[in-house]
Amino acid sequence: MDLSIFGYQFMQNAILSAFLGGIACSVVGVFVVLMHMPFIGVCMSHAAFAGALLALWVGLNPLAGAFAFSLLAAAIVGPLADRGELSPETSVGVIFSLMLGLAFLFMGLMPGTKSSALELLWGSILTNTRGDIILLAVVAVVVVGLVAVFYKEVQATIFNRDMALSVGIPATLTLYAILFLTGATITASLRSIGGLLIFSLILNPAAAAYQLTYSMKRMFVLSACFGVLSGWAGLLMSYLFDVPSGATIVVTSSVIFMLAALFSPKRKVKGWRAETAPGGDSA
Amino acid sequence: MDNTVIDIDSAVVSYREDIALRGVSLKVRTGEFVGIVGPNGAGKTTMLTVVNGMGKLLHGRVSVLGHCPAPGRGCCVRKRVGYVAQVQNIDPRMPMSVRDVVMIGRYGRLGLVHRPGKHDWEVVDEVLELVGMTALAQRPIGHLSGGEQQRVAIARCLAQEPEIFLLDEPTASLDWKAKSDILELVRLVHDTRRLTTLFVTHDLSALPLACDRVLLMKEGLIWAEGPPTELLSDDNLSRLYDMPVSLVEKRRREGALVHS
């Protein structure tokens, strides 16, 4: 195998992007999986996509548009999820379809070729610039840093928001911070992974880690490892088979999830109990 | 000296078009054990949310431990108020152990950024011992039975080192054995930790007979209050639940069985 390709600047940029994006997305994925709101990720990634297209159409920086729209989606979804006025699935579903509709509307309105728009849909990690990498690095450091510093608030809020509130943790603020981080992560990874595919890089590594551990700290670490692994293995396959990298990254992450689900110790809950607590309690 | 810890003055709370509390006043002294009984929808839970600052007052005034709890700025009061809710469905795959969940009780007191230290884990292990859950401390929280879950919830409250202890139907959906065990535990905790306790239930058989005082609530109002022996008369109960005395009597016998 000829590995001289890894000596090129664009490949090194891609490897670094996959590392940073993999970590940020998969840490955010832990929130999404444990809070049982997978649709929020889909909704936000489509909002980011719609925002980027609007910005392209009016001639602004697409990342600014993506960021504004994903924050807007967070600002709409947050209160709905928080107050339980509508079931969150319903409200997120409505916003998701609206965002998808807007995205196609803006794409239709855009004059000329649609290549820059399609690039945002599919992602193109191989053309990442130094600026993209800096943005990804900032987001990854902020996401990991905030989770590390406010770990106990995050843990309690994820576990049970009402309980967290009742012991005096600012759980509502934490929820909004989580939604905000999700939006920022999606925006930063949009160009690399693409609006359609990013959701699986958020969901799959965390869902795989979820199958394998009963410790939340370990779940964060495992998820980040799976995210980076998906990115790197996906890149390698993209190079070897000459296929789009966004697609191979997503397929790799799905394979990791399937393997984790297959070998999950949680599938055998009874066996696990008998093993760790021999003749234990009388429950 | 005035030892009133909870002072609710004509509180009105409403959810959308429904009024949950219609001008309720209540004073609770330090160390009191107050039972709150009434049918579903009487405003019992709302009463508790007013005390821990999660409920929003439309009208009236509340003072808890000398502070005014309110959504958004109730954090300092909430840290000193333990709250046990009904048995909840917990995802069996949730990556949290029993010990982790009890530690959440310490988080409010620890404050932002601070990490739990050795002392906090000692407190957690001590309260787990008290509720008889030491053997299950490392278990994933989602693997527990309802009764065990409520023990953990009580342990979490105690880890908080609260001054006020709120219990919202803690025995709903538990079997008789688990129910009477939890009631005993609540009483033990109330006595040994010198807490002020409010205990809400719609189920008379789940009312600890050792209550100092009982409130009967109906349609958002306190309908009657007094010592349990006087208040829980056939006449009062059948009017409270709109049910014939014979049926109520049957329920009370069921209750007596639990407590005997």
Side-chain angles (χ1 to χ4, degrees), chain B residues 1 20 35 51 58 80 88 125 138 140 175 188 193 207 216:
Chain B
M1 189 190 131
V51 174
L58 270 189
R80 299 162 69 189
Q88 300 184 335
D125 290 334
Q138 302 298 339
D175 66 44
L188 175 79
R193 301 269 166 147
L207 187 70
L216 302 185

Side-chain angles (χ1 to χ4, degrees), chain A residues 4 11 31 53 64 106 116 132 172 206 210 214-215 230 234 252 258 263 265 274 277 281:
Chain A
S4 63
M11 200 60 186
F31 307 143
L53 290 179
F106 297 142
S116 52
D132 294 324
T172 310
Y210 185 47
Y214 281 111
S215 149
S230 307
T252 315
M258 279 183 252
F263 294 107
D281 63 303

Side-chain angles (χ1 to χ4, degrees), chain B residues 179-213:
Chain B
K179 194 193 271 187
S180 57
D181 287 351
I182 292 291
L183 292 179
E184 247 169 58
L185 181 60
V186 167
R187 188 70 221 189
L188 175 79
V189 162
H190 173 83
D191 289 342
T192 56
R193 301 269 166 147
R194 299 171 185 214
L195 300 171
T196 306
T197 303
L198 297 190
F199 189 104
V200 158
T201 181
H202 66 272
D203 177 5
L204 286 173
S205 71
L207 187 70
L209 289 185
C211 285
D212 299 314
R213 183 153 60 119

Side-chain angles (χ1 to χ4, degrees), chain B residues 28-225:
Chain B
V28 181
R29 293 185 307 277
T30 314
E32 251 193 311
F33 194 123
V34 179
I36 303 177
V37 181
N40 292 329
K44 309 185 296 293
T45 299
T46 309
M47 186 90 132
L48 296 188
T49 62
V50 163
V51 174
N52 79 351
M54 311 257 278
K56 198 174 159 202
L57 288 183
L58 270 189
H59 178 79
R61 201 181 48 78
V62 179
S63 156
V64 176
L65 298 163
H67 292 270
C68 168
R73 58 194 180 102
C75 275
C76 68
V77 172
R78 272 183 229 142
K79 284 169 193 170
R80 299 162 69 189
V81 178
Y83 186 88
V84 176
Q86 290 184 25
V87 177
Q88 300 184 335
N89 281 328
I90 300 178
D91 177 355
R93 296 176 178 218
M94 179 54 85
M96 302 261 291
S97 70
V98 167
R99 230 165 150 242
D100 290 337
V101 173
V102 173
M103 181 52 96
I104 290 180
R106 306 279 317 152
Y107 286 176
R109 286 211 174 233
L110 275 169
L112 288 172
V113 185
H114 297 279
R115 281 164 188 282
K118 194 161 161 270
H119 169 69
D120 299 294
W121 287 113
E122 280 166 7
V123 171
V124 166
D125 290 334
E126 188 188 313
V127 295
L128 278 170
E129 178 83 50
L130 182 76
V131 302
M133 292 288 293
T134 306
L136 304 184
Q138 302 298 339
R139 249 328 145 73
I141 185 71
H143 289 196
L144 301 188
S145 69
E148 291 166 344
Q149 255 192 52
Q150 290 309 75
R151 285 171 182 273
V152 173
I154 291 171
R156 174 181 43 80
C157 272
L158 293 180
Q160 211 179 323
E161 297 180 330
E163 288 150 74
I164 297 177
F165 192 26
L166 307 177
L167 296 116
D168 187 5
E169 311 258 13
T171 60
S173 82
L174 296 185
D175 66 44
W176 279 16
K177 172 76 170 85
K179 194 193 271 187
S180 57
D181 287 351
I182 292 291
L183 292 179
E184 247 169 58
L185 181 60
V186 167
R187 188 70 221 189
L188 175 79
V189 162
H190 173 83
D191 289 342
T192 56
R193 301 269 166 147
R194 299 171 185 214
L195 300 171
T196 306
T197 303
L198 297 190
F199 189 104
V200 158
T201 181
H202 66 272
D203 177 5
L204 286 173
S205 71
L207 187 70
L209 289 185
C211 285
D212 299 314
R213 183 153 60 119
V214 173
L215 309 178
L216 302 185
M217 286 191 74
K218 193 175 183 180
E219 288 162 6
L221 288 171
I222 295 179
W223 186 69
E225 66 172 292

Side-chain angles (χ1 to χ4, degrees), chain A residues 88-108:
Chain A
E89 288 82 2
T90 310
S91 48
V92 170
V94 169
I95 295 166
F96 160 69
S97 48
L98 171 69
M99 290 304 173
L100 197 59
L102 285 179
F104 283 107
L105 178 68
F106 297 142
M107 211 193 281

